[in-house]
Amino acid sequence: MRIGIIAHLKHRIGEPFAGGLETHTHLLASGLRRRGHDVVVFASDGSDPSVGVEPICEETAIREVGLAEATDVAFFREHHAYLKLMTGLGGRGFDVIHNNSLHYLPVAMADAVATPMLTTLHTPPFCWLESGVRICSSSRSTFVAVSDALRGLWAPIAPVKGVVLNGIDLTRFSFSPVPSSARYLAWSGRIVPEKGLHLAIDAARLVGLPLRVAGPIANADYFEREIRPRLDQDAIYLGHLGHAELAEVIGGARALLFTPCWEEPYGLVAAEALACGTPVAAFARGAVAEVLDETCGVLATPDDPSALAEAAIAAQRLDRRKCRLRAERHCDADLMVSIYERLYAQMIGGGAPALPADELAVAV
């Protein structure tokens, strides 16, 4: 198949990944290419060329242009990039288009393209994307969500056909049957208020174990206000790590703290920990209960460091082999790619897309 993938433009698609959406897009594109498909990824410049990137925009989060009439330059540049893409996409000869962005234009303009389009919903509804989805009337458009919790949030707005859980590269996050001799907890993710790192640091102190932190500082004000004052020899910021270093840190931890302060749509970080054999202590919010079960994680009352500390203590008693088994059965990127492959084929054939009844997908 010839497949066009529309990526999120805020950050490049490449390591070190800015977040789960960039990781997901890279895994999807590379997996499809390994299976012999002709894949083009429409992304920001600086993205990894090995996944078939065709740059359509500079990184809107870090570069600006001098357009005095645009009050929000980044917004305008992203809007222009997607508008130009959608007006020219119909003549590119794709069999199917996979919209993996968070922008309103690809779904709002789906009717302008005769090619079937699959849109994966990665976030709860927000005004711009919801607006685009509501006016999408194309009979060739199909929507799926990355968790059942997210499908529930979108159900009043979009005809979501089903759920395809995000996958991870299990070979990049290899199994560590025993943790490091240095006793510590881990936290990974974008450092922004909604990820709750400050609560993880407070919980780790209650447990009495050091916390090792990895991830990009995506909100400098939050980092300076809430995180830097909490850092010391027992709360160490390691920086924004690549997969290899990150897997080593997570695999050596006694437990991973997962602290969403919003309705987390999936929780790729939790899946990465399970692949390493590291149990997870998490706030019971969003889709985390679809990633974890009682064999590999312990849920805590949201926003409560004391409850999270108790969950972290309990999580350390879980079997690391069962954590890895959970990742193999529910979080494998190869299975995710297979499901998307079958969805594409059904859409190209003109049939109604139907998700397979396997463990990575919730059937329609």
Side-chain angles (χ1 to χ4, degrees):
M1 289 179 276
R2 179 165 167 77
I3 304 163
I5 298 177
I6 303 175
H8 188 46
L9 297 181
K10 294 293 185 187
H11 304 284
R12 66 190 187 91
I13 306 302
E15 287 196 59
F17 295 108
L21 180 52
E22 290 76 22
T23 305
H24 173 270
T25 302
H26 193 278
L27 282 172
L28 176 64
S30 58
L32 290 169
R33 287 171 68 86
R34 281 196 302 272
R35 296 176 184 218
H37 300 293
D38 181 5
V39 178
V40 178
V41 179
F42 299 102
S44 61
D45 66 348
S47 296
D48 183 358
S50 72
V51 294
V53 167
E54 183 176 312
I56 62 170
C57 187
E58 294 179 346
E59 288 185 79
T60 59
I62 61 173
R63 299 183 185 177
E64 293 183 349
V65 294
L67 299 177
E69 70 276 17
T71 56
D72 187 335
V73 173
F75 177 88
F76 175 78
R77 290 180 61 254
E78 191 174 45
H79 171 93
H80 179 74
Y82 281 124
L83 182 62
K84 184 178 180 182
L85 172 66
M86 294 306 297
T87 55
L89 204 54
R92 295 293 299 269
F94 290 109
D95 296 307
V96 67
I97 296 164
H98 190 152
N99 174 30
N100 216 32
S101 75
L102 304 179
H103 205 269
Y104 61 92
L105 274 178
V107 288
M109 296 183 66
D111 251 343
V113 182
T115 310
M117 180 185 292
L118 175 67
T119 293
T120 297
L121 298 167
H122 291 273
T123 68
F126 61 92
C127 61
W128 292 104
L129 182 57
E130 180 179 339
S131 175
V133 170
R134 282 188 182 275
I135 67 172
C136 177
S137 59
S138 173
S139 61
R140 297 178 296 275
S141 284
T142 299
F143 294 93
V144 296
V146 298
S147 66
D148 200 41
L150 187 61
R151 175 167 64 169
L153 294 176
W154 277 101
I157 300 164
V160 182
K161 293 295 184 182
V163 172
V164 183
L165 300 181
N166 286 335
I168 62 169
D169 185 346
L170 296 178
T171 65
R172 301 291 297 276
F173 290 90
S174 58
F175 177 51
S176 298
V178 294
S180 169
S181 58
R183 296 175 57 85
Y184 67 90
L185 303 172
W187 186 96
S188 174
R190 288 185 302 115
I191 300 178
V192 292
E194 61 266 28
K195 298 294 185 179
L197 172 56
H198 61 293
L199 299 173
I201 295 175
D202 293 347
R205 293 197 194 286
L206 293 175
V207 175
L209 288 178
L211 182 69
R212 298 187 183 181
V213 175
I217 300 173
N219 186 315
D221 289 341
Y222 168 70
F223 183 84
E224 294 299 328
R225 183 180 69 254
E226 297 287 351
I227 304 307
R228 191 181 294 282
R230 286 175 162 88
L231 298 179
D232 57 20
Q233 70 274 11
D234 291 326
I236 304 169
Y237 176 53
L238 303 175
H240 188 190
L241 306 180
H243 265 153
E245 295 172 290
L246 183 60
E248 184 176 354
V249 171
I250 294 177
R254 302 286 160 151
L256 178 107
L257 303 185
F258 185 65
T259 52
C261 292
W262 71 311
E263 295 304 308
E264 187 74 46
Y266 179 70
L268 209 62
V269 169
E272 291 169 350
L274 298 184
C276 294
T278 301
V280 178
F283 287 148
R285 178 178 275 136
V288 68
E290 297 173 51
V291 180
L292 306 177
D293 67 8
E294 68 281 357
T295 69
C296 60
V298 181
L299 300 182
T301 303
D303 306 326
D304 185 341
S306 296
L308 185 65
E310 293 178 7
I313 292 170
Q316 294 177 63
R317 296 192 287 267
L318 296 176
D319 188 332
R320 295 177 70 92
R321 293 175 184 81
K322 290 182 179 179
C323 295
R324 174 68 184 192
L325 183 61
R326 177 74 177 180
E328 291 173 349
R329 289 179 174 175
H330 290 264
C331 312
D332 186 356
D334 282 339
L335 184 53
M336 176 192 75
V337 172
S338 293
I339 293 170
Y340 278 125
E341 225 177 8
R342 281 174 269 173
L343 280 172
Y344 300 156
Q346 290 168 4
M347 294 170 68
I348 292 168
L355 289 171
D358 54 33
E359 293 190 347
L360 198 73
V362 179
V364 177

